[in-house]
Amino acid sequence: MDYKALIEEAIAAKEMAYVPYSHFRVGAALLTKSGKIYRGCNIENAAFTPTNCAERTAFFKAISEGEKEFKAIVVNGDADDYLFPCGVCRQVMVEFCDLKTFEVIVANNTEDYKVFTLEQLMPGVFNAEEMAKGQRL
Ligand code: THU
């Protein structure tokens, strides 16, 4: 896969970050199986809780446009080193992506990045399948 183009999209997505509280910009670029790319940035709020991470912005944009199949996401932040998705974003990925084939790329730049499967970043998931196995009152 051409990670370079997707990394460039994530870095560009960071430009739109709304971060008046943390001043910490994050960008994401989500690739669908059909080859479309959705950008996402973090969007903060004075009430803090409503803050949306870059990764979830990208997912929610794509899903709200009817996308259902995803191949990979790149994350790039104003960090000194690789910025990994938070737990909430990983859980959203679990809801919509295949654990074994969906790739999460943490990138410092187009030359310096690491690739993980979702399963590597999120072992022991709670998902619809797990819930279906449970007891019911
Ligand atoms: N943030 C993201 O956008 N993605 C992550 O994976 C980690 C955190 C944002 C949320 C908030 O706007 C800022 O980074 C500081 O937590």
Side-chain angles (χ1 to χ4, degrees):
M1 193 175 54
D2 179 14
Y3 295 117
K4 208 173 163 168
L6 203 56
I7 292 169
E8 279 169 357
E9 288 286 326
I11 292 169
K14 207 167 60 173
E15 294 297 319
M16 303 308 287
Y18 176 74
V19 289
Y21 307 104
S22 73
H23 304 284
F24 184 77
R25 301 175 309 160
V26 183
L30 176 63
L31 178 66
T32 68
K33 285 189 182 169
S34 64
K36 238 178 134 179
I37 295 172
Y38 288 84
R39 290 183 183 180
C41 62
N42 50 338
I43 304 167
E44 299 185 342
N45 191 285
F48 291 5
T49 307
T51 290
N52 212 54
C53 290
E55 300 90 320
R56 275 177 290 139
T57 302
F59 266 95
F60 296 155
K61 279 175 68 181
I63 291 155
S64 66
E65 296 293 327
E67 300 290 350
K68 288 189 171 65
E69 299 204 300
F70 303 103
K71 202 168 174 185
I73 192 166
V74 170
V75 190
N76 170 264
D78 281 344
D80 289 338
D81 208 345
Y82 306 115
L83 181 83
F84 284 81
C86 79
V88 172
C89 289
R90 293 182 201 203
Q91 182 67 24
V92 169
M93 292 176 201
V94 166
E95 185 72 24
F96 296 105
C97 305
D98 183 81
L99 284 170
K100 294 199 187 298
T101 59
F102 184 75
E103 291 181 326
V104 179
I105 300 107
V106 289
N108 286 333
N109 54 58
T110 53
E111 312 298 324
D112 178 12
Y113 59 88
K114 282 186 174 173
V115 183
F116 298 89
T117 64
L118 181 54
E119 191 173 48
Q120 285 174 308
L121 293 188
M122 193 76 167
V125 296
F126 177 72
N127 57 14
E129 212 173 274
E130 291 306 308
M131 201 161 70
K133 291 179 194 163
Q135 300 280 330
R136 294 285 180 284
L137 284 177

